[in-house]
């Protein structure tokens, strides 16, 4: 239901990614993405659910599902609350190159 509230109708993969980041940032994720050789990577520098994430790991699965729905591509979380070069804790997801 959450993803349905934010349809991302971009046919261009790069525009679709930017539209997805806009949606996520409107939800306070402080999201950004980087292109990589194998697959794009999405970074969440802030988790709006951080205070309950420890007792509800399904929140991370919800984030994966939300990204997959917005991007129309398989997404996998590869890092959870790890240190970033800026000294923040962030989560990292990879996106299948199939669609993005």
């Amino acid at each position: 239901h959450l993803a349905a509230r934010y349809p991302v109708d971009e046919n261009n993969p790069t525009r679709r990614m930017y539209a997805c980041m806009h949606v996520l940032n409107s939800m306070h994720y402080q999201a950004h993405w980087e292109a990589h050789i194998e697959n794009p990577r999405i970074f969440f520098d802030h988790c709006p659910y951080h205070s309950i994430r420890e007792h509800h790991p399904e929140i991370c699965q919800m984030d994966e599902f939300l990204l997959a729905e917005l991007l129309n591509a398989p997404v996998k979380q590869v890092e959870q609350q790890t240190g970033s070069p800026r000294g923040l804790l962030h989560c990292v997801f990879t996106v299948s190159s199939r669609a993005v």
Side-chain angles (χ1 to χ4, degrees):
H1 293 288
L2 184 59
R5 293 176 44 195
Y6 301 99
V8 177
D9 287 334
E10 296 289 343
N11 290 328
N12 177 294
T14 302
R15 287 185 189 168
R16 187 172 189 81
M17 185 68 84
Y18 280 114
C20 178
M21 295 304 104
H22 178 74
V23 167
L24 293 167
N25 287 328
S26 74
M27 298 165 61
H28 308 287
Y29 277 93
Q30 297 178 7
H32 63 279
W33 72 281
E34 295 177 356
H36 283 262
I37 292 173
E38 292 180 14
N39 297 347
R41 293 168 59 97
I42 296 172
F43 299 83
F44 289 176
D45 286 342
H46 176 261
C47 176
Y49 309 103
H50 178 73
S51 63
I52 63 170
R53 186 187 57 77
E54 185 177 325
H55 299 291
H56 298 280
E58 63 273 12
I59 293 292
C60 297
Q61 293 170 339
M62 183 191 75
D63 289 341
E64 277 185 357
F65 182 77
L66 177 61
L67 283 168
E69 287 294 307
L70 291 172
L71 295 170
N72 193 30
V75 174
K76 180 178 180 179
Q77 187 172 22
V78 294
E79 293 180 32
Q80 186 179 76
Q81 296 292 292
T82 58
S84 75
R86 294 184 286 181
L88 303 170
L89 293 178
H90 65 201
C91 295
V92 182
F93 301 82
T94 59
V95 182
S96 170
S97 58
R98 174 180 66 85
V100 178

